[in-house]
Amino acid sequence: MIRTQIQLEPEQYDRLRKLAAARQQSLAQLVREGVDHLLAESERSARWDALWRAAGACHDAEGRTDVSVNHDVVLADNYRP
């Protein structure tokens, strides 16, 4: 593990210390869990952003770019038997 220093507001430290005592965990463990949660949320958000960009970038053969919004209409127009 890498040792680092952080600065907390007094209220943050007090609340974190109480939570650590209630969970019978160290402050360091709670901070690591918080960092893991923040990183996972950030990665999840980045994946959703990429998916939304991909959906908005789609277009049909006629060049319409509203495919992601009007997919049912576009599919019906382009794939009618």
Side-chain angles (χ1 to χ4, degrees):
M1 266 191 224
I2 297 172
R3 182 176 288 248
T4 189
Q5 289 183 341
I6 61 169
Q7 293 180 327
L8 300 172
E9 296 294 334
E11 182 185 348
Q12 290 174 314
Y13 178 78
D14 289 340
R15 292 173 61 197
L16 192 60
R17 188 176 48 78
K18 289 175 184 173
L19 182 59
R23 290 187 178 184
Q24 298 181 341
Q25 292 179 299
S26 68
L27 255 63
Q29 180 59 36
L30 289 181
V31 170
R32 286 190 294 269
E33 288 177 13
V35 168
D36 285 343
H37 178 76
L38 177 65
L39 293 173
E41 185 62 32
S42 176
E43 291 163 359
R44 187 173 20 261
S45 178
R47 284 193 304 268
W48 276 109
D49 288 348
L51 287 171
W52 286 118
R53 277 193 308 277
C58 294
H59 58 84
D60 70 354
E62 296 170 6
R64 290 188 298 195
T65 59
D66 62 347
V67 176
S68 63
V69 175
N70 298 307
H71 50 79
D72 291 340
V73 173
V74 172
L75 286 172
D77 288 348
N78 288 288
Y79 298 102
R80 245 187 222 124

